[in-house]
Amino acid sequence: MSKSGSQPSARLRLVEARKRQGWSQQEMADHLGTTRLNVSRWERGITTPSPYFRIKLTALLKMNAHDLLQTETESEQTSQEEALPPDQALSAPGRRISSGAWTIPYPRNAFFTGREDLLHELHARLGRDHSLALTQAQALSGLGGIGKTQTAIEYAYRYANDYTAIFWISAETHESIVSSFVAIAEVLKLSEREEKEQSRVIAAVNGWLNSHRDWLLIFDNVEEIELVKGALPATRSGSVLFTTRRHAIGLSAQMVNLEKMTDEESLRFLLLRGRLLDPTTPLDQLTATDVALAREIARKMDGLPLALDQAGAYIEATQCSLSDYLQLLHMSQSRLLDERDAYADHPLSVTKTFALAFKQIEQDNALAAELLTLGAFLAPEAIPEALFVESAAVLGPPFEALTTGPLAFNAAIKELLIYSLIQRNATARTVTIHRLVQAVIKEGVMESAQRQWAIRAIRAVNHVFPDCYDVSAWPRCQSFLPHALACAALITSWNMTLPEAGELLYRAGNYLRRRGQYSQAEPLLCQALDLLMKMLGPEHLSIAQHLNDLALLYSSTGQWTRAEVLFQQSLTMREKKGGPDHPDTAESLQSLGYHYCEEGRYAEAEPLFRRTVQIYEQSRGPDHLNTASILSALGFIHNRREEYTHAESLLQRALLIQEKALGLEHLNLANTLNNLGYASLGQRCYSQAEAYHMRALAIREKALGPEHPDLALSLSNLGKVSFAQGRDQQAERSYQRALAIREKALG
């Protein structure tokens, strides 16, 4: 009943409004994201809508916000749903604030974890000196479910004593803003609170704000900037805090981007929310197994507070073990991401939160939706923008719009940034997508379409992944490598047999091999070889190159027998298909010769190298780089035979060709310099030997990094030079570093 008894109560007005729409209770529940039982209880007066649902109802039913506010009688019946003031937040349910004005519609979150530095920073920025007007506005920005609202709530409770009043405005729609201002007017007991004309209520509240100081106004979930502009007070004698998914909102607000929770924050929050840990209990009170399981669950939630809250709530409600939940997560991630308690402060699940944002993007910018979907099939971190732009031609419509210039790409990225579904690094020119956004987007794609998107991703990455034979291409290879590895998983899971899949696996595997990352390279090269054999047959000439490169990997890791078998297969195929004097045949001869040298079989290696020299000199000329590499190899053999003068002559000729063609610091010089150092050491020219080895080491370290296996050879040879001169400690340091590098690379 209303105060006068002449007006229908809020519950009856709710029934009437629903029936005007022609909805059943279930249909209205579906629109609201709650249960039919909830709607039934509201309409029977057993409970009243929480502030969250009251705001949604005003927008959905297009009712005057005042019509859904509780009367005094109704408020007394449902006082347990009211938010408590800061000093009574976790005790004395139902008691009202005794001083100051307060309209925070949520209780303090007992599980709130982390964000300490951010809260302190916000407090400093929202300081008490409001003479600088618009500088007092701050905006918490970030992905849906990242904890913007909860952080704002925690700030309000934590620093409540610093403000004379704290008001909460739900800023999703015009109706929710009006509803919030009516609630403020009620708390302030303004005479205009009974006005039906909404603009008068807002004006009255702003009049109060303009004439008072040191208040805090929180606009939660800002979507439409223009709606908020019309609700802001004319003067800033207080502080304003916005929460928004947008990366920029104007309004002279300083943006504070909310990041994912750290690993430790995620772990602790999950355990607290699941009631597995008391706030005062240290982690070491749990078993190591439980901590490890919780850490794995937290890792899969990727620092997203909403996902962690869902996981903890599920564990608490079902009393399942951490191991059981982890198993469920492996089997039914999509279902668990869609689990949500309708009574929660954020009743939308992870799935619904992201799916609704994606649906809006599809309506606003089709290219943005396509970019995000493609990104869902790649690695989440640091996706190069070049991957989208440069591969547009092979992706088809609507990606073809990207070929017209940067405007279309920037417009699409802007749309994704509005909803914080990506993060953009303008300096590195990369974008990042949260793992759970990827999971939800992929789950929303039909299975038949998922395969097509996987093919698109493979073709796109293959199109931009360069050959790795020139070391200058390695930085670009590295930037695309995580996405090539993501595509390798797609190739396996979808059993792909398309040319681009084989090419990408080979390029990525060969790059890893040349970088000395053999354990990662081997499965990719094996997978590429198997795929190529399925598509082309075992006798196709292109398979010889794959066999040769896989054999080089086995040779580098000491798997001599496996390497030799593949080298011989490659050589036989090339001799049969291209003839005994073809340059491809020479490549296999050269590789097999290097392999024999690795095993110390110099007598078998030399005729292969001499035959290779003849082929290269005839086909490519005496001053070609291929010729130089074989001259260097022959010099190595003469070194092993202690024919140092002859070796030095061959090596000097090789070095001259390489320096002329490549410059003085190219990686290809390192092997020749290393062999020259060995020849000088054999002739006891120690200073010259050391200079050659130091130069080789510097070139390799600059090109390959400090832990590549090839550095170990230069370090070992430097150790020999130092030892020969009686500098034992210096020799030991070189040997120790070489040993550490080899152990890390080879085991």
Side-chain angles (χ1 to χ4, degrees):
M1 297 291 291
S2 65
K3 292 179 185 179
S4 64
S6 61
Q7 296 295 324
S9 66
R11 68 183 185 85
L12 294 178
R13 289 193 293 269
L14 184 58
V15 174
E16 292 169 358
R18 174 175 62 78
K19 289 182 177 179
R20 281 198 301 272
Q21 298 291 335
W23 292 336
S24 66
Q25 290 180 339
Q26 183 60 60
E27 287 172 328
M28 188 160 82
D30 292 341
H31 283 290
L32 292 168
T34 187
T35 63
R36 186 200 62 78
L37 180 60
N38 250 356
V39 175
S40 175
R41 286 173 172 172
W42 296 338
E43 292 186 352
R44 286 183 291 154
I46 297 173
T47 62
T48 58
S50 68
Y52 174 86
F53 283 114
R54 191 184 308 146
I55 290 164
K56 295 198 73 171
L57 282 164
T58 60
L60 180 66
L61 300 175
K62 298 179 175 57
M63 296 176 66
N64 187 303
H66 179 80
D67 290 342
L68 279 175
L69 287 175
Q70 304 166 60
T71 64
E72 287 183 7
T73 303
E74 293 167 333
S75 294
E76 290 169 0
Q77 294 172 348
T78 59
S79 60
Q80 70 272 17
E81 293 197 20
E82 294 181 343
L84 299 179
D87 56 346
Q88 303 162 31
L90 301 178
S91 63
R95 291 178 57 191
R96 293 183 175 277
I97 190 166
S98 57
S99 61
W102 175 269
T103 65
I104 304 298
Y106 306 104
R108 192 172 190 175
N109 187 346
F111 305 112
F112 188 88
T113 304
R115 312 290 196 199
E116 292 298 322
D117 291 343
L118 176 61
L119 289 166
H120 289 310
E121 181 183 354
L122 270 181
H123 190 228
R125 291 181 179 182
L126 293 171
R128 297 295 299 279
D129 180 6
H130 305 293
S131 60
L132 298 179
L134 297 178
T135 59
Q136 303 309 122
Q138 300 290 315
L140 291 174
S141 171
L143 178 68
I146 202 69
K148 304 179 293 294
T149 296
Q150 289 299 323
T151 301
I153 292 169
E154 177 64 19
Y155 180 85
Y157 278 94
R158 186 173 297 196
Y159 297 109
N161 291 334
D162 291 347
Y163 298 96
T164 58
I166 299 180
F167 300 130
W168 187 275
I169 298 174
S170 296
E172 285 181 321
T173 64
H174 174 71
E175 289 79 8
S176 65
I177 290 173
V178 171
S179 177
S180 299
F181 270 86
V182 171
I184 295 171
E186 288 281 347
V187 168
L188 296 175
K189 301 189 183 308
L190 301 178
S191 59
E192 293 86 352
R193 66 185 184 277
E194 301 291 344
E195 289 280 356
K196 297 294 184 181
E197 182 60 44
Q198 298 168 346
S199 60
R200 293 182 181 178
V201 179
I202 294 175
V205 172
N206 279 330
W208 187 95
L209 294 170
N210 291 333
S211 62
H212 290 75
R213 293 183 56 81
D214 299 333
W215 40 258
L216 173 64
L217 202 57
I218 300 175
F219 284 83
D220 184 45
N221 202 14
V222 174
E223 295 286 346
E224 298 294 332
I225 309 303
E226 293 303 317
L227 294 180
V228 175
K229 283 183 179 178
L232 287 170
T235 61
R236 296 291 195 277
S237 53
S239 300
V240 182
L241 177 61
F242 304 99
T243 75
T244 180
R245 288 181 296 185
R246 292 174 172 269
H247 71 290
I249 60 170
L251 304 175
S252 301
Q254 186 173 2
M255 303 301 294
V256 180
N257 189 49
L258 215 56
E259 302 288 347
K260 298 186 296 186
M261 297 181 86
T262 67
D263 291 345
E264 291 307 309
E265 288 172 347
S266 298
L267 172 65
R268 190 162 189 87
F269 177 46
L270 174 68
L271 292 169
L272 288 171
R273 184 62 187 86
R275 305 283 186 177
L276 301 173
L277 190 70
D278 186 87
T280 60
T281 305
L283 278 178
D284 58 17
Q285 296 299 305
L286 299 177
T287 67
T289 300
D290 278 348
V291 171
L293 289 168
R295 197 177 295 279
E296 177 64 12
I297 294 170
R299 186 189 66 79
K300 289 184 177 296
M301 300 299 103
D302 199 22
L304 187 72
L306 176 58
L308 291 161
D309 185 66
Q310 276 184 223
Y314 186 92
I315 290 167
E316 179 193 12
T318 62
Q319 295 293 295
C320 71
S321 68
L322 290 167
S323 59
D324 287 344
Y325 185 85
L326 191 57
Q327 187 175 5
L328 286 171
L329 198 58
H330 285 303
M331 294 188 302
S332 306
Q333 182 187 40
S334 60
R335 287 187 61 185
L336 288 177
L337 290 179
D338 205 21
E339 285 277 345
R340 194 61 177 153
D341 185 351
Y343 295 96
D345 291 336
H346 193 304
L348 292 182
S349 66
V350 171
T351 297
K352 287 187 173 66
T353 297
F354 296 153
L356 287 172
F358 183 71
K359 185 176 181 180
Q360 187 63 50
I361 286 168
E362 283 184 308
Q363 295 173 1
D364 295 342
N365 189 310
L367 177 57
E370 297 280 296
L371 285 174
L372 188 63
T373 305
L374 179 62
F377 289 82
L378 302 170
E381 304 287 341
I383 305 172
E385 294 178 5
L387 195 158
F388 300 108
V389 176
E390 293 178 20
S391 63
V394 302
L395 290 170
F399 289 92
E400 290 170 352
L402 298 177
T403 62
T404 62
L407 289 178
F409 181 76
N410 284 333
I413 290 296
K414 178 183 176 182
E415 197 69 34
L416 298 175
L417 288 170
I418 285 175
Y419 293 92
S420 293
L421 289 173
I422 64 168
Q423 289 181 304
R424 190 181 196 183
N425 185 324
T427 303
R429 296 188 176 181
T430 61
V431 297
T432 294
I433 306 174
H434 195 279
R435 294 175 190 276
L436 296 185
V437 173
Q438 289 185 311
V440 170
I441 298 300
K442 288 170 75 173
E443 184 64 26
V445 177
M446 291 189 300
E447 187 171 342
S448 58
Q450 282 187 26
R451 181 180 179 85
Q452 292 305 311
W453 276 108
I455 291 172
R456 278 181 163 184
I458 292 163
R459 285 177 172 161
V461 178
N462 180 61
H463 186 76
V464 297
F465 202 102
D467 289 324
C468 64
Y469 291 104
D470 189 339
V471 70
S472 64
W474 287 8
R476 184 174 170 89
C477 289
Q478 187 61 40
S479 69
F480 293 119
L481 179 63
H483 312 292
L485 296 177
C487 288
L490 294 174
I491 293 167
T492 299
S493 62
W494 288 100
N495 194 25
M496 298 287 189
T497 53
L498 61 152
E500 295 92 340
E503 290 174 13
L504 179 57
L505 291 168
Y506 173 70
R507 288 176 179 173
N510 220 23
Y511 165 68
L512 288 166
R513 177 188 67 81
R514 288 176 63 80
R515 291 305 302 259
Q517 298 174 36
Y518 303 122
S519 61
Q520 283 184 282
E522 182 180 359
L524 296 180
L525 291 174
C526 289
Q527 191 178 359
L529 180 60
D530 290 343
L531 189 56
L532 193 65
M533 285 184 171
K534 287 179 183 177
M535 291 189 296
L536 304 177
E539 298 298 322
H540 196 277
L541 182 58
S542 60
I543 289 175
Q545 183 67 56
H546 288 65
L547 290 169
N548 188 78
D549 289 330
L550 185 56
L552 287 171
L553 183 147
Y554 289 141
S555 183
S556 298
T557 55
Q559 301 178 67
W560 312 118
T561 303
R562 298 179 73 179
E564 186 168 354
V565 169
L566 296 182
F567 279 133
Q568 291 286 5
Q569 287 179 7
S570 176
L571 177 59
T572 300
M573 291 181 68
R574 282 172 161 168
E575 284 182 322
K576 181 179 178 180
K577 299 286 185 179
D581 297 325
H582 194 278
D584 287 347
T585 301
E587 182 185 8
S588 285
L589 289 167
Q590 181 179 354
S591 296
L592 184 57
Y594 284 142
H595 172 69
Y596 286 153
C597 288
E598 288 287 338
E599 288 193 275
R601 298 159 62 180
Y602 306 119
E604 295 172 77
E606 184 175 6
L608 298 180
F609 286 152
R610 293 200 179 280
R611 184 181 163 192
T612 306
V613 168
Q614 290 177 352
I615 296 173
Y616 282 146
E617 285 184 332
Q618 290 174 6
S619 63
R620 294 177 175 171
D623 295 328
H624 194 273
L625 285 171
N626 290 138
T627 304
S629 66
I630 298 302
L631 291 172
S632 180
L634 282 169
F636 172 80
I637 289 177
H638 286 293
N639 272 337
R640 289 299 179 181
R641 292 175 175 168
E642 299 184 1
E643 298 167 0
Y644 300 120
T645 303
H646 192 184
E648 187 174 22
S649 175
L650 292 169
L651 292 165
Q652 288 288 3
R653 180 186 164 194
L655 183 64
L656 187 63
I657 295 170
Q658 291 171 330
E659 288 181 332
K660 185 177 180 180
L662 302 173
L664 300 180
E665 297 184 353
H666 196 277
L667 181 60
N668 287 5
L669 273 65
N671 195 51
T672 303
L673 289 166
N674 204 69
N675 291 336
L676 276 167
Y678 196 95
S680 297
L681 177 62
Q683 298 174 75
R684 298 184 181 180
C685 300
Y686 299 127
S687 59
Q688 184 173 294
E690 186 170 25
Y692 281 133
H693 288 311
M694 289 294 292
R695 186 179 168 194
L697 178 64
I699 288 172
R700 282 173 166 156
E701 195 157 18
K702 182 178 179 180
L704 304 175
E707 296 182 348
H708 193 280
D710 286 0
L711 267 69
L713 180 61
S714 293
L715 289 163
S716 294
N717 287 331
L718 276 171
K720 291 175 183 177
V721 174
S722 298
F723 185 75
Q725 298 177 84
R727 296 182 294 179
D728 294 353
Q729 290 184 343
Q730 189 171 337
E732 185 176 6
R733 285 195 296 271
S734 296
Y735 286 136
Q736 289 284 8
R737 186 180 170 196
L739 177 63
I741 289 172
R742 287 187 182 274
E743 284 180 336
K744 184 171 183 178
L746 305 176

